[in-house]
Amino acid sequence: MRSRPKFRPLALLGLGALLMTAPGAQQAPAPTYNVELIVFRANSPGAGEDWSSPGARQSRGGSGDRAASGAQVGRFVARLPSSQYQLSDIQSRLANSSAYTPIAHVAWAQTPSSWGSRAGFTLERLGVQASGLSGIIFLERGTYLHLGMSLKYTPPDGGPRYDLTEQRRIKFYEKNYYDHPAFGVVAVVTPAQGARPPGR
């Protein structure tokens, strides 16, 4: 009587790897994050330095503007209603301040792009229509999650154009300040699933 051939552990491992990489194999969906930010301007920008030069504020956490080979580009999911905003108190304080004026407040849901890709969304795509303000916002995920931006702002009085290019590692629910003597950004990132209620 002939015995049946036995599968060896290594053979099983090889079969499992083949099935996982076979065409059509399902990959885990990319996580979705909620991003909210306020852009504000200083009513009396600091003097003494030329902050209008393109290199005045460099990116933190990486370099280069070209997308990495085979990079994954984040997917825009939806704009979020103001009822889900978590920075409304800061918006109110800025609006009541004599030193700063908010010029944009927006929130949206998206999946992240690959680390180093600098693939993001324009302010127009996010629904921001602020005079003199343009640029992109990018959310990247490598080992950690980073939120970055490359923004340009020309004051309403027609002064010099200012540039703010910066990227930071972020932690959920933590307010992040991207500063500049002429204008700045306050941002917060939360997981789309199980996000804490506004004001928490």
mmCIF file of all heavy atoms in Angstrom, residues 4-5 7 10 18 21 31 34 46 50 56 59 64-65 100 111 116-117 121 124 126 130-131 144 146 156-157 165:
data_model
loop_
_atom_site.group_PDB
_atom_site.id
_atom_site.type_symbol
_atom_site.label_atom_id
_atom_site.label_comp_id
_atom_site.label_asym_id
_atom_site.label_seq_id
_atom_site.Cartn_x
_atom_site.Cartn_y
_atom_site.Cartn_z
ATOM 1 N N ARG A 4 0.588 8.280 1.143
ATOM 2 C CA ARG A 4 0.373 9.559 0.484
ATOM 3 C C ARG A 4 1.548 10.503 0.760
ATOM 4 O O ARG A 4 2.074 10.511 1.867
ATOM 5 C CB ARG A 4 -0.897 10.212 1.028
ATOM 6 C CG ARG A 4 -2.141 9.559 0.503
ATOM 7 C CD ARG A 4 -3.330 10.422 0.867
ATOM 8 N NE ARG A 4 -4.299 9.648 1.610
ATOM 9 C CZ ARG A 4 -5.336 10.171 2.190
ATOM 10 N NH1 ARG A 4 -5.508 11.456 2.173
ATOM 11 N NH2 ARG A 4 -6.197 9.402 2.829
ATOM 12 N N PRO A 5 1.917 11.298 -0.233
ATOM 13 C CA PRO A 5 3.021 12.237 0.008
ATOM 14 C C PRO A 5 2.615 13.271 1.054
ATOM 15 O O PRO A 5 1.469 13.707 1.103
ATOM 16 C CB PRO A 5 3.242 12.908 -1.362
ATOM 17 C CG PRO A 5 1.957 12.729 -2.092
ATOM 18 C CD PRO A 5 1.385 11.417 -1.606
ATOM 19 N N PHE A 7 2.952 16.995 2.838
ATOM 20 C CA PHE A 7 3.394 18.358 2.585
ATOM 21 C C PHE A 7 4.389 18.765 3.653
ATOM 22 O O PHE A 7 4.184 18.522 4.829
ATOM 23 C CB PHE A 7 2.207 19.337 2.612
ATOM 24 C CG PHE A 7 1.359 19.263 1.377
ATOM 25 C CD1 PHE A 7 0.110 18.664 1.410
ATOM 26 C CD2 PHE A 7 1.827 19.781 0.186
ATOM 27 C CE1 PHE A 7 -0.662 18.594 0.278
ATOM 28 C CE2 PHE A 7 1.054 19.705 -0.959
ATOM 29 C CZ PHE A 7 -0.199 19.103 -0.923
ATOM 30 N N LEU A 10 7.938 23.922 4.608
ATOM 31 C CA LEU A 10 8.478 24.898 3.665
ATOM 32 C C LEU A 10 7.617 24.993 2.416
ATOM 33 O O LEU A 10 7.438 26.076 1.845
ATOM 34 C CB LEU A 10 9.921 24.534 3.298
ATOM 35 C CG LEU A 10 10.959 24.762 4.399
ATOM 36 C CD1 LEU A 10 12.342 24.324 3.918
ATOM 37 C CD2 LEU A 10 11.006 26.229 4.803
ATOM 38 N N LEU A 18 2.814 32.422 -2.528
ATOM 39 C CA LEU A 18 2.343 32.478 -3.908
ATOM 40 C C LEU A 18 0.915 32.995 -3.955
ATOM 41 O O LEU A 18 0.559 33.827 -4.790
ATOM 42 C CB LEU A 18 2.435 31.089 -4.549
ATOM 43 C CG LEU A 18 1.955 30.987 -6.007
ATOM 44 C CD1 LEU A 18 2.837 31.858 -6.900
ATOM 45 C CD2 LEU A 18 1.996 29.543 -6.478
ATOM 46 N N THR A 21 0.678 36.803 -3.316
ATOM 47 C CA THR A 21 1.179 37.693 -4.366
ATOM 48 C C THR A 21 0.536 37.407 -5.712
ATOM 49 O O THR A 21 0.904 38.015 -6.697
ATOM 50 C CB THR A 21 2.706 37.538 -4.512
ATOM 51 O OG1 THR A 21 3.015 36.162 -4.789
ATOM 52 C CG2 THR A 21 3.399 37.959 -3.229
ATOM 53 N N PRO A 31 -5.908 53.288 5.135
ATOM 54 C CA PRO A 31 -6.695 53.962 6.183
ATOM 55 C C PRO A 31 -7.118 55.354 5.727
ATOM 56 O O PRO A 31 -6.463 55.986 4.892
ATOM 57 C CB PRO A 31 -5.716 54.033 7.357
ATOM 58 C CG PRO A 31 -4.370 53.999 6.717
ATOM 59 C CD PRO A 31 -4.509 53.116 5.510
ATOM 60 N N ASN A 34 -9.114 62.166 8.787
ATOM 61 C CA ASN A 34 -9.736 63.486 8.689
ATOM 62 C C ASN A 34 -8.661 64.540 8.931
ATOM 63 O O ASN A 34 -7.915 64.447 9.906
ATOM 64 C CB ASN A 34 -10.853 63.643 9.725
ATOM 65 C CG ASN A 34 -12.031 62.726 9.447
ATOM 66 O OD1 ASN A 34 -12.217 62.250 8.327
ATOM 67 N ND2 ASN A 34 -12.844 62.480 10.455
ATOM 68 N N GLY A 46 6.114 90.424 10.792
ATOM 69 C CA GLY A 46 7.402 90.808 11.355
ATOM 70 C C GLY A 46 8.313 91.424 10.310
ATOM 71 O O GLY A 46 8.313 91.044 9.150
ATOM 72 N N ASP A 50 13.710 88.899 5.107
ATOM 73 C CA ASP A 50 13.018 88.721 3.844
ATOM 74 C C ASP A 50 12.370 87.342 3.822
ATOM 75 O O ASP A 50 12.967 86.367 3.384
ATOM 76 C CB ASP A 50 13.999 88.871 2.670
ATOM 77 C CG ASP A 50 13.285 88.720 1.334
ATOM 78 O OD1 ASP A 50 12.036 88.724 1.320
ATOM 79 O OD2 ASP A 50 13.977 88.590 0.319
ATOM 80 N N ALA A 56 12.805 80.479 2.391
ATOM 81 C CA ALA A 56 12.755 81.021 3.739
ATOM 82 C C ALA A 56 12.337 79.994 4.774
ATOM 83 O O ALA A 56 12.788 80.024 5.892
ATOM 84 C CB ALA A 56 11.800 82.214 3.776
ATOM 85 N N SER A 59 11.162 72.455 4.205
ATOM 86 C CA SER A 59 10.397 71.307 4.684
ATOM 87 C C SER A 59 11.134 70.545 5.763
ATOM 88 O O SER A 59 12.341 70.377 5.702
ATOM 89 C CB SER A 59 10.121 70.365 3.500
ATOM 90 O OG SER A 59 9.532 69.184 3.921
ATOM 91 N N GLY A 64 13.167 67.092 -1.292
ATOM 92 C CA GLY A 64 12.835 66.728 -2.654
ATOM 93 C C GLY A 64 11.367 66.942 -2.938
ATOM 94 O O GLY A 64 10.515 66.784 -2.077
ATOM 95 N N ASP A 65 11.051 67.312 -4.185
ATOM 96 C CA ASP A 65 9.674 67.586 -4.560
ATOM 97 C C ASP A 65 9.112 66.566 -5.544
ATOM 98 O O ASP A 65 7.943 66.605 -5.855
ATOM 99 C CB ASP A 65 9.567 68.988 -5.188
ATOM 100 C CG ASP A 65 9.901 70.072 -4.174
ATOM 101 O OD1 ASP A 65 9.490 69.943 -3.018
ATOM 102 O OD2 ASP A 65 10.572 71.039 -4.573
ATOM 103 N N TYR A 100 -4.211 88.721 14.428
ATOM 104 C CA TYR A 100 -4.345 87.751 13.343
ATOM 105 C C TYR A 100 -5.742 87.803 12.736
ATOM 106 O O TYR A 100 -6.708 88.191 13.388
ATOM 107 C CB TYR A 100 -4.071 86.331 13.847
ATOM 108 C CG TYR A 100 -2.733 86.177 14.518
ATOM 109 C CD1 TYR A 100 -2.635 86.138 15.906
ATOM 110 C CD2 TYR A 100 -1.561 86.085 13.763
ATOM 111 C CE1 TYR A 100 -1.403 85.996 16.527
ATOM 112 C CE2 TYR A 100 -0.329 85.963 14.371
ATOM 113 C CZ TYR A 100 -0.255 85.914 15.758
ATOM 114 O OH TYR A 100 0.970 85.803 16.362
ATOM 115 N N THR A 111 -7.160 59.389 2.097
ATOM 116 C CA THR A 111 -6.177 58.357 2.397
ATOM 117 C C THR A 111 -4.801 58.977 2.183
ATOM 118 O O THR A 111 -4.662 59.953 1.437
ATOM 119 C CB THR A 111 -6.348 57.127 1.486
ATOM 120 O OG1 THR A 111 -6.168 57.525 0.116
ATOM 121 C CG2 THR A 111 -7.731 56.498 1.655
ATOM 122 N N GLY A 116 7.428 60.691 0.965
ATOM 123 C CA GLY A 116 8.354 61.274 0.014
ATOM 124 C C GLY A 116 7.752 61.612 -1.327
ATOM 125 O O GLY A 116 8.430 62.155 -2.191
ATOM 126 N N SER A 117 6.471 61.306 -1.542
ATOM 127 C CA SER A 117 5.858 61.539 -2.849
ATOM 128 C C SER A 117 5.492 63.001 -3.073
ATOM 129 O O SER A 117 5.447 63.470 -4.199
ATOM 130 C CB SER A 117 4.594 60.689 -2.998
ATOM 131 O OG SER A 117 3.585 61.108 -2.092
ATOM 132 N N PHE A 121 -3.248 67.659 -2.447
ATOM 133 C CA PHE A 121 -4.397 68.294 -3.070
ATOM 134 C C PHE A 121 -4.224 69.804 -3.028
ATOM 135 O O PHE A 121 -3.745 70.365 -2.035
ATOM 136 C CB PHE A 121 -5.686 67.906 -2.339
ATOM 137 C CG PHE A 121 -5.915 66.420 -2.285
ATOM 138 C CD1 PHE A 121 -5.775 65.733 -1.092
ATOM 139 C CD2 PHE A 121 -6.244 65.716 -3.426
ATOM 140 C CE1 PHE A 121 -5.970 64.363 -1.040
ATOM 141 C CE2 PHE A 121 -6.439 64.339 -3.387
ATOM 142 C CZ PHE A 121 -6.300 63.664 -2.185
ATOM 143 N N GLU A 124 -7.711 74.691 -3.934
ATOM 144 C CA GLU A 124 -8.946 74.785 -4.709
ATOM 145 C C GLU A 124 -9.712 73.467 -4.666
ATOM 146 O O GLU A 124 -10.936 73.451 -4.523
ATOM 147 C CB GLU A 124 -8.641 75.174 -6.161
ATOM 148 C CG GLU A 124 -8.141 76.595 -6.354
ATOM 149 C CD GLU A 124 -6.678 76.768 -5.958
ATOM 150 O OE1 GLU A 124 -5.965 75.765 -5.770
ATOM 151 O OE2 GLU A 124 -6.241 77.933 -5.832
ATOM 152 N N LEU A 126 -9.688 71.375 -2.317
ATOM 153 C CA LEU A 126 -10.213 71.216 -0.969
ATOM 154 C C LEU A 126 -11.346 72.192 -0.667
ATOM 155 O O LEU A 126 -11.957 72.125 0.400
ATOM 156 C CB LEU A 126 -9.089 71.408 0.048
ATOM 157 C CG LEU A 126 -7.932 70.406 -0.052
ATOM 158 C CD1 LEU A 126 -6.812 70.793 0.903
ATOM 159 C CD2 LEU A 126 -8.416 68.984 0.221
ATOM 160 N N ALA A 130 -9.593 81.558 -1.142
ATOM 161 C CA ALA A 130 -9.138 82.747 -0.423
ATOM 162 C C ALA A 130 -8.234 83.571 -1.335
ATOM 163 O O ALA A 130 -7.270 83.051 -1.905
ATOM 164 C CB ALA A 130 -8.388 82.339 0.840
ATOM 165 N N SER A 131 -8.534 84.831 -1.454
ATOM 166 C CA SER A 131 -7.757 85.710 -2.325
ATOM 167 C C SER A 131 -6.297 85.765 -1.899
ATOM 168 O O SER A 131 -5.989 85.953 -0.720
ATOM 169 C CB SER A 131 -8.367 87.118 -2.294
ATOM 170 O OG SER A 131 -7.620 88.001 -3.089
ATOM 171 N N TYR A 144 5.854 56.676 9.919
ATOM 172 C CA TYR A 144 4.973 57.559 10.673
ATOM 173 C C TYR A 144 4.125 58.371 9.707
ATOM 174 O O TYR A 144 4.369 58.388 8.497
ATOM 175 C CB TYR A 144 5.789 58.492 11.571
ATOM 176 C CG TYR A 144 6.715 57.786 12.516
ATOM 177 C CD1 TYR A 144 8.089 57.733 12.269
ATOM 178 C CD2 TYR A 144 6.219 57.137 13.648
ATOM 179 C CE1 TYR A 144 8.939 57.070 13.150
ATOM 180 C CE2 TYR A 144 7.061 56.476 14.526
ATOM 181 C CZ TYR A 144 8.416 56.441 14.269
ATOM 182 O OH TYR A 144 9.256 55.780 15.132
ATOM 183 N N HIS A 146 2.846 62.003 8.361
ATOM 184 C CA HIS A 146 3.317 63.384 8.272
ATOM 185 C C HIS A 146 2.307 64.225 7.498
ATOM 186 O O HIS A 146 1.733 63.756 6.506
ATOM 187 C CB HIS A 146 4.670 63.467 7.546
ATOM 188 C CG HIS A 146 5.813 62.908 8.328
ATOM 189 N ND1 HIS A 146 6.010 61.567 8.495
ATOM 190 C CD2 HIS A 146 6.840 63.532 8.982
ATOM 191 C CE1 HIS A 146 7.104 61.363 9.221
ATOM 192 N NE2 HIS A 146 7.619 62.537 9.523
ATOM 193 N N PRO A 156 -3.499 91.233 0.876
ATOM 194 C CA PRO A 156 -4.459 92.010 0.083
ATOM 195 C C PRO A 156 -3.956 93.385 -0.319
ATOM 196 O O PRO A 156 -4.464 93.970 -1.280
ATOM 197 C CB PRO A 156 -5.683 92.116 1.015
ATOM 198 C CG PRO A 156 -5.172 91.819 2.390
ATOM 199 C CD PRO A 156 -4.023 90.888 2.198
ATOM 200 N N ASP A 157 -2.959 93.915 0.397
ATOM 201 C CA ASP A 157 -2.440 95.242 0.032
ATOM 202 C C ASP A 157 -1.448 95.169 -1.123
ATOM 203 O O ASP A 157 -0.867 96.180 -1.509
ATOM 204 C CB ASP A 157 -1.786 95.910 1.245
ATOM 205 C CG ASP A 157 -0.607 95.108 1.790
ATOM 206 O OD1 ASP A 157 -0.236 94.083 1.183
ATOM 207 O OD2 ASP A 157 -0.053 95.506 2.840
ATOM 208 N N THR A 165 6.682 76.411 3.268
ATOM 209 C CA THR A 165 6.853 75.019 2.877
ATOM 210 C C THR A 165 7.383 74.270 4.084
ATOM 211 O O THR A 165 8.513 74.519 4.534
ATOM 212 C CB THR A 165 7.835 74.873 1.690
ATOM 213 O OG1 THR A 165 7.320 75.594 0.574
ATOM 214 C CG2 THR A 165 8.002 73.414 1.307
#
